[in-house]
Amino acid sequence: MNFRKIPDDFLMGAATSAYQIEGAVDKDGRTPSIWDVFQTLNGDNGDEACDHYNRYQEDVAIMRDLGLQAYRFSLAWPRVNPTADQSLNKPGLDFYDRLVDELLSADIEPWVTMFHWDLPLWMQEKGGWQNREIVERFRVYADQCLARLGDRVKHWFTLNEPWCSAILGHQTGEHAPGLQLPLKDILKVVHNHLLAHGTAVEAVREFSSELKVGPVLNPWIPMPLTHSEEDILAADTAWTEHVGWWFEPLYKGEYPAQISQWWESDLPPVEEGDMELISRPCDFLGLNLYFPGFVRFKAEESPHQYEDCGKLLDLPRTEMGWQVYPPFLSYALERIHRFYSPGPIYITENGCALPDRCDELGQVHDRWRQEYLRTHIEQVISLRDVGVDTRGYFAWSLLDNFEWQYGYEKRFGLVRVDYETQERTLKGSAKWYRACLADRKLYAF
Ligand code: IFM
């Protein structure tokens, strides 16, 4: 049987983030982040998580066993700058220094995210993302990280999914800091995220021309429910609102023109030079894509005249309630490639939460996850045939971990974590991933 080949120049890895796996929240000088004080739905917190801070060597050995080429992880800002004076906490960065060396000695490339939502509490007390001062503060932090790790870490991501940090954190309140602000403030919060991204790109450029940098975005992808002209136009409008709002500033240096019609007096607080900073060219784009969106025209919906109608389609769903429909990746990536020319694209997260069960021997048979991964990776690789420059894929996640407001209830890992004993067990999907990486073939078992 012919299995699809994984091209030699296509990077295969896995991803995690600091607060979701590290634990050790008060070790070596770390102070709380906004997530340490956020009330999750079931009361879980990241105090211990996967205890990765103490078990990183075991975890890197697992990555080596899986044959990962690259590992994407994030740095915890409150470990590096525990206090508002931003004096560098050397023991905090020492941890990442050890981790990077361990990865390199296992022949795994470290791909580092500077910010994956764990904002220092001291920064939140100064207004957090609502305060433009965060941009300078982020720059200080980025410079310190680069100074310590930039000799060995060649690939940097600025912000992870700023949409979640901005919208879930400040509009719906589902994420820390749990605020529900009016639109005017949301626009400010979004703008400050974009500026922080820009300043981090600038920091990387000033540090060395040898390093590569880009953002990690997670646009909601609205596809038309039908091929009617009305639904297609409705999907275009939804695209502008959900994708354009972030991509146009980053890749065209301006917010979508429609914003001023829709939101009237509430405009982003743009100052001179902001759009140049936000749109500084990047080396690649990271995309975290898990599920499709579907919309249709609805005349009564003001001001956009579309409605989210995914519920009308009977597609399989993961434990997150997210619908599964791999072809949405083609729609998403082709359009992003065509509209914004972002350069090389990496899928920096993709995967699924499932109700994993251990059998009597402690094994997890997660064929469903394996199929999810296979069908999505297949899409990403085939897009190269039509000229979309996809360069790699990071499975989310290496380990089961703290899934934000849902705590430990949702398991996304290739590797099962027993939270009582911290024992790690390769799931069936991890063994499948290992076989695929070893032979550079996407096996369908
Ligand atoms: O766990 C998260 C991750 O932190 C960011 N992207 C989505 C994942 C699954 O919800």
Side-chain angles (χ1 to χ4, degrees):
M1 176 142 182
N2 275 335
F3 296 105
R4 178 175 267 285
K5 198 170 157 18
I6 301 175
D8 292 341
D9 60 348
F10 189 84
L11 193 75
M12 293 290 288
T16 64
S17 88
Y19 190 71
Q20 292 181 273
I21 64 164
E22 285 178 359
V25 288
D26 49 12
K27 201 154 168 201
D28 295 333
R30 181 189 182 277
T31 55
S33 74
I34 53 174
W35 275 95
D36 294 71
V37 298
F38 184 71
Q39 189 57 44
T40 57
L41 295 170
N42 61 5
D44 286 350
N45 60 47
D47 286 2
E48 187 177 349
C50 307
D51 195 29
H52 171 75
Y53 195 84
N54 296 309
R55 294 169 196 263
Y56 73 93
Q57 287 165 310
E58 179 187 349
D59 292 338
V60 173
I62 292 172
M63 296 180 220
R64 186 212 289 257
D65 174 41
L66 294 181
L68 300 190
Q69 294 174 279
Y71 172 52
R72 172 178 173 250
F73 63 97
S74 74
L75 309 178
W77 189 355
R79 281 197 199 285
V80 179
N81 295 151
T83 53
D85 65 7
Q86 291 198 273
S87 53
L88 171 66
N89 178 39
K90 190 173 165 303
L93 264 181
D94 285 349
F95 167 67
Y96 298 111
D97 200 72
R98 293 192 295 275
L99 174 59
V100 165
D101 285 344
E102 191 75 16
L103 287 164
L104 291 173
S105 66
D107 217 12
I108 299 168
E109 276 180 35
W111 286 56
V112 169
T113 308
M114 291 177 179
F115 178 76
H116 194 126
W117 308 350
D118 43 358
L119 189 73
L121 197 54
W122 59 258
M123 187 64 234
Q124 187 59 38
E125 284 162 2
K126 289 176 171 297
W129 288 106
Q130 292 182 75
N131 180 355
R132 194 177 159 112
E133 188 185 315
I134 198 167
V135 182
E136 289 157 40
R137 300 297 198 137
F138 194 63
R139 175 63 196 257
V140 172
Y141 160 68
D143 284 337
Q144 291 172 352
C145 297
L146 287 161
R148 184 71 188 276
L149 304 173
D151 58 335
R152 283 151 296 149
V153 176
K154 302 298 176 202
H155 298 92
W156 292 80
F157 295 111
T158 55
L159 308 184
N160 177 73
E161 301 182 11
W163 179 86
C164 291
S165 166
I167 304 299
L168 300 182
H170 300 81
Q171 188 170 44
T172 68
E174 290 161 86
H175 276 194
L179 303 175
Q180 292 183 318
L181 302 174
L183 179 61
K184 189 167 180 307
D185 295 320
I186 303 300
L187 293 173
K188 198 189 320 170
V189 164
V190 169
H191 194 63
N192 288 339
H193 276 86
L194 292 170
L195 289 169
H197 156 80
T199 201
V201 172
E202 204 157 62
V204 170
R205 298 293 183 233
E206 284 172 23
F207 180 79
S208 159
S209 58
E210 285 174 19
L211 305 192
K212 308 267 189 226
V213 63
V216 173
L217 304 175
N218 66 325
W220 182 63
I221 303 299
M223 297 191 289
L225 182 68
T226 72
H227 289 112
S228 75
E229 194 58 21
E230 281 183 330
D231 285 354
I232 289 173
L233 287 175
D236 285 344
T237 307
W239 179 281
T240 304
E241 190 190 358
H242 291 274
V243 188
W245 186 10
W246 297 87
F247 279 69
E248 294 197 21
L250 289 167
Y251 293 101
K252 298 185 175 171
E254 56 194 13
Y255 283 100
Q258 293 90 324
I259 276 185
S260 51
Q261 294 158 22
W262 294 336
W263 297 333
E264 293 169 359
S265 56
D266 290 327
L267 286 178
V270 180
E271 295 182 12
E272 206 183 322
D274 283 3
M275 299 318 286
E276 288 72 32
L277 180 63
I278 290 171
S279 60
R280 292 215 46 172
C282 288
D283 301 299
F284 47 69
L285 165 65
L287 287 172
N288 295 354
L289 294 173
Y290 291 85
F291 57 89
F294 295 94
V295 299
R296 65 176 173 180
F297 175 73
K298 188 167 182 198
E300 309 83 69
E301 283 300 315
S302 172
H304 302 121
Q305 298 197 307
Y306 71 81
E307 69 167 347
D308 174 354
C309 61
K311 61 179 178 307
L312 299 177
L313 296 173
D314 189 18
L315 293 168
R317 289 181 187 264
T318 70
E319 277 284 281
M320 299 293 281
W322 297 346
Q323 291 180 311
V324 180
Y325 184 67
F328 92 97
L329 284 175
S330 300
Y331 183 87
L333 269 57
E334 275 193 70
R335 281 172 77 104
I336 288 172
H337 169 76
R338 205 151 28 93
F339 292 180
Y340 311 112
S341 312
I345 294 176
Y346 290 86
I347 296 300
T348 32
E349 285 182 28
N350 172 252
C352 59
L354 293 180
D356 296 330
R357 298 274 172 270
C358 283
D359 68 13
E360 56 289 355
L361 300 173
Q363 302 300 309
V364 181
H365 306 283
D366 57 343
R367 290 277 291 263
W368 212 89
R369 176 175 287 110
Q370 185 179 309
E371 255 328 86
Y372 177 99
L373 297 174
R374 186 183 70 79
T375 48
H376 286 79
I377 298 170
E378 163 90 40
Q379 290 278 324
V380 179
I381 293 178
S382 0
L383 277 159
R384 294 161 68 114
D385 302 342
V386 293
V388 180
D389 191 7
T390 55
R391 297 276 183 98
Y393 178 93
F394 292 81
W396 184 270
S397 176
L398 176 70
L399 304 171
D400 287 339
N401 60 45
F402 174 81
E403 178 55 27
W404 308 110
Q405 72 270 40
Y406 303 107
Y408 299 97
E409 272 172 17
K410 311 284 182 201
R411 291 180 177 270
F412 274 91
L414 294 169
V415 177
R416 179 178 175 84
V417 176
D418 178 331
Y419 296 114
E420 296 293 311
T421 62
Q422 290 296 351
E423 191 186 347
R424 276 81 163 129
T425 307
L426 299 197
K427 299 181 191 174
S429 57
K431 294 176 190 167
W432 166 82
Y433 205 58
R434 177 171 63 190
C436 296
L437 270 52
D439 298 346
R440 304 297 295 177
K441 283 184 185 146
L442 265 190
Y443 287 122
F445 294 124

